[in-house]
Amino acid sequence: IADAAGNLAGFKVVEVNLSGQNHVTPAEILQTAGIKSSTSILFVHADEARARLEALPWIQSASVRKFYPDRIDISVTEREAFALWQINGEVKVIARDGTPITAYSDDPRYVSLPIVVGEGANKKVGDIVDALSRMPALADEVRAAILVANRRWTLKMRNGIDVRLPEQGVQDALMELAQLDRDKKLLSRDITIIDLRLPDRVAVRLSDAAFEARAEALKEKAKAKKGGAT
């Protein structure tokens, strides 16, 4: 009734200008802001409409401005998809600040995003992504970064190797890993774990096949040595 009275007085909304939207549809914006074909500008509460828009996952900020007698301008700034977060069997697209934006789909805009896994990983995603971005060749080999006990990261490499990073000095550890790979092809070896948590050494765990082969080689070496001694 109030809208109808306002409209009769010449204050019906006849023009709505939208800007900034990409993932959020115009229909979603209008519905969330509470603007319909029968809405009177007199009864549009700009601050309330802005707050409702900013409650949408994709929208980081919004402004709603009324221009009497019949125009409303709505501008939104959307969050950017920064990474994928796997938690409780689900994968979500998240912003840099860790805010879940939407469920993951095969949208080509998302397939190349870095992946983090585990409770709290969304809140620390910027640190690990920034560290890896400084070493693009190494980053290309990372399938996912897993947050362990909300304290440190383990990198799951595309070839199946787990790289255990320290709580502190992540960038230095990554630089050491890159250098070891350049000098000794460490990431191409038949190993399952590279442990960089100790400041004075790098520990590796051989795969079962490599361990058995090494044990057999040592056995043959011992036999040869024993035979030479006689």
Side-chain angles (χ1 to χ4, degrees):
I1 296 176
D3 276 331
N7 292 342
L8 285 173
F11 293 100
K12 180 179 181 180
V13 175
V14 297
E15 182 180 356
V16 181
N17 296 319
L18 305 180
S19 62
Q21 75 278 6
N22 182 23
H23 296 86
V24 183
T25 67
E28 288 176 296
I29 292 175
L30 293 175
Q31 181 180 5
T32 303
I35 299 173
K36 300 178 288 188
S37 60
S38 59
T39 296
S40 168
I41 197 172
L42 295 175
F43 303 104
V44 173
H45 300 285
D47 287 343
E48 294 179 6
R50 175 188 55 77
R52 289 195 299 271
L53 286 167
E54 290 179 350
L56 294 176
W58 269 112
I59 295 182
Q60 181 173 338
S61 62
S63 69
V64 179
R65 302 174 66 192
K66 304 196 309 184
F67 296 88
Y68 288 95
D70 57 11
R71 186 183 115 207
I72 295 176
D73 288 358
I74 299 177
S75 175
V76 301
T77 299
E78 292 188 344
R79 292 184 171 92
E80 294 185 12
F82 183 72
L84 302 179
W85 175 37
Q86 182 177 323
I87 183 75
N88 297 327
E90 298 180 358
V91 179
K92 303 174 182 179
V93 180
I94 59 174
R96 184 185 179 89
D97 64 2
T99 301
I101 299 173
T102 186
Y104 172 70
S105 67
D106 289 332
D107 189 311
R109 290 175 293 187
Y110 306 147
V111 294
S112 61
L113 292 176
I115 302 171
V116 294
V117 181
E119 190 72 35
N122 60 317
K123 295 301 183 182
K124 300 180 182 243
V125 63
D127 295 338
I128 191 65
V129 171
D130 286 350
L132 286 168
S133 69
R134 299 182 187 104
M135 319 200 70
L138 184 62
D140 286 344
E141 301 302 319
V142 176
R143 186 162 61 87
I146 304 166
L147 187 63
V148 180
N150 207 32
R151 295 198 313 269
R152 64 165 194 85
W153 295 97
T154 288
L155 303 180
K156 177 71 73 172
M157 309 305 285
R158 296 189 185 279
N159 61 5
I161 294 176
D162 284 353
V163 178
R164 296 175 178 174
L165 297 176
E167 290 185 45
Q168 305 295 329
V170 168
Q171 195 68 59
D172 289 341
L174 290 174
M175 291 175 64
E176 182 178 17
L177 177 63
Q179 184 172 346
L180 285 169
D181 192 46
R182 284 194 304 268
D183 297 345
K184 302 181 181 299
K185 306 298 182 186
L186 188 62
L187 290 171
S188 301
R189 295 192 176 187
D190 196 1
I191 56 180
T192 58
I193 294 174
I194 301 171
D195 196 334
L196 299 169
R197 292 177 295 173
L198 297 174
D200 59 343
R201 75 195 69 176
V202 176
V204 299
R205 180 181 297 175
L206 298 172
S207 69
D208 290 343
F211 179 81
E212 291 173 4
R214 184 172 185 275
E216 187 63 30
L218 289 173
K219 190 185 298 183
E220 291 299 323
K221 185 177 180 181
K223 282 183 182 179
K225 186 176 181 181
K226 185 177 179 181
T230 59

